Amino acid sequence: MRDFSQDHSTLALNTATLGHNLEGHGAGWSPEQVIDACAERGYGGITFWRRELAGREVEIGARTRAAGLQVVGLCRTPFLTGPLALPSEPEIMDDFHRSIDEAAALGTDVLTIVTGGPEPGTKGVLESQKILADRVARAAGYAAERGVKLALEPLSPATAGNRTCIMTAADALNVCDAVDAPNVGIAIDVYHVWWDTTLAQTLATRGKGRILGFHLCDWLADTSDILLDRGMMGDGVADLKALRNAVESAGYSGLCEVEIFSANTWWLRPPEEVLDTIVTRFRSCC
Ligand code: ZN
C-alpha cells in the first residue's frame, strides 16, 4: 500500500467539494481559481463537473495540465435509467454521447457514470441493470474511439430509489461483465461502499485491472443528509485505509480524489481552508 503520510502528489480534488456545481452553493470559484489553488498546494490532479466547464473543456483541460496537474476525470454522464433520466432513450443517449465528447475535449480518460435508479414501471434493480448494460454497451465503442473509459460508480442503497441501480462493487462488476468492453470499469467511492464487508473480497477476485477511480470522504456517524452531508476524511466511521488497501490490492495505482458534498459544513467555509484541511487529512487519515 502506498504511503501518503509525507507525500500528497496522488491527491486530487473533485470540484464537488467546493460546492459551486450545485446552484446556490459554494464560494463560486472559477475553474481557473480552483486550478491555481490546487497547484499552489501540490495537489496531483482535479476532477471537474460538466456544469462548470460550459463549453470551455479544451481550454480548462489545457490550463490544468499547464499548471502541472492531471485531469483525473469528468463527472458525469446523465442518468441512464430511472425517474430522473431524460424522458426518452434518444435524448439519454444523445446526452451520454455529449458527455463523452466533453471528457475527450477536456483531455481526461475517465468519465464517471452515476446510473440512475430503477426504471419507471419496474420493481427492484435487476431489470434496470439490464437496460443500463445495454445503454452503456451502445456507447462504449463511441467512448473507446475517443480515448474515454467509462467508470460505473455504485452508490449507497439509501440513494437507490431514484439515483442508482447498482449499489455494490459486485453489482457494478456484473454490469461490466454484461457490457464486456475493455474501456468499461468501476469507480469506488468510500462514501457509498464503506459498509460493505465483502468489498475487499469482491475486488480481489473480480476487480483486477477494472478500477478506474477511487473517491475519498467519510461517513458521519450522525449524518443529516444522504446527499449533502458527507464528512471530511477522519471525521466519520469509514475505515479509509482498509478501503484504500482493498482497491490498491486489486491493482489500482491512480490518484485519489476527494469528493465531499457538504452543504452545511465544508461548502460554507473558505475554499482555501477546505483545500488545506484536505491535504492534512489526506496525509494523516487516508
Ligand atoms: Zn464519487
Side-chain angles (χ1 to χ4, degrees):
M1 197 168 142
R2 295 174 287 180
D3 178 10
F4 295 159
S5 62
Q6 309 297 322
D7 173 16
H8 63 276
S9 58
T10 54
L11 168 63
L13 177 77
N14 181 306
T15 61
T17 304
L18 300 183
H20 58 255
N21 285 298
L22 208 62
E23 194 62 49
H25 291 282
W29 273 16
S30 67
E32 284 83 355
Q33 282 173 288
V34 177
I35 293 163
D36 291 345
C38 286
E40 266 168 36
R41 290 167 174 78
Y43 280 58
I46 302 180
T47 288
F48 291 99
W49 282 67
R50 292 174 73 191
R51 174 188 155 109
E52 69 200 307
L53 301 177
R56 295 203 296 143
E57 292 80 15
V58 172
E59 182 189 344
I60 301 299
R63 179 79 152 72
T64 307
R65 285 182 288 276
L69 297 159
Q70 199 175 315
V71 185
V72 179
L74 178 66
C75 292
R76 56 181 175 69
T77 64
F79 290 120
L80 301 179
T81 61
L84 301 180
L86 289 163
S88 72
E89 182 165 275
E91 289 170 281
I92 292 170
M93 293 307 291
D94 277 357
D95 197 34
F96 192 178
H97 286 131
R98 255 195 312 277
S99 66
I100 293 166
D101 291 339
E102 289 166 19
L106 184 63
T108 184
D109 63 352
V110 177
L111 174 64
T112 302
I113 299 177
V114 172
T115 69
E119 194 75 347
T122 69
K123 304 284 188 187
V125 294
L126 293 178
E127 186 60 32
S128 299
Q129 288 183 3
K130 284 188 195 144
I131 296 167
L132 169 69
D134 174 62
R135 291 176 178 167
V136 172
R138 279 191 281 133
Y142 184 89
E145 284 163 17
R146 287 154 185 81
V148 174
K149 295 175 189 158
L150 304 172
L152 287 156
E153 182 169 338
L155 303 192
S156 166
T159 69
N162 56 10
R163 304 181 79 84
T164 195
C165 61
I166 55 172
M167 295 163 283
T168 60
D171 280 343
L173 289 164
N174 291 345
V175 175
C176 286
D177 287 346
V179 173
D180 193 23
N183 64 323
V184 176
I186 65 173
I188 296 296
D189 185 324
V190 302
Y191 190 73
H192 295 298
V193 299
W194 71 273
W195 53 272
D196 181 2
T197 52
T198 67
L199 178 75
Q201 178 67 20
T202 301
L203 295 181
T205 52
R206 302 179 59 197
K208 290 258 187 305
R210 302 167 94 182
I211 303 172
L212 302 176
F214 181 54
H215 306 171
L216 287 165
C217 66
D218 213 332
W219 181 279
L220 298 174
D222 189 23
T223 187
S224 64
D225 185 312
I226 297 297
L227 290 180
L228 302 181
D229 188 32
R230 292 187 182 206
M232 177 65 69
M233 297 84 74
D235 287 346
V237 296
D239 189 344
L240 299 175
K241 285 199 165 79
L243 290 159
R244 183 161 69 84
N245 191 37
V247 299
E248 292 191 4
S249 295
Y252 185 75
S253 59
L255 273 66
C256 304
E257 67 182 72
V258 172
E259 183 182 28
I260 304 176
F261 295 79
S262 173
N264 293 320
T265 305
W266 296 100
W267 289 358
L268 299 178
R269 305 211 183 160
E272 294 89 346
E273 181 195 335
V274 177
L275 293 171
D276 288 338
T277 305
I278 287 171
V279 171
T280 309
R281 298 294 183 88
F282 183 75
R283 286 176 167 228
S284 58
C285 303
C286 298

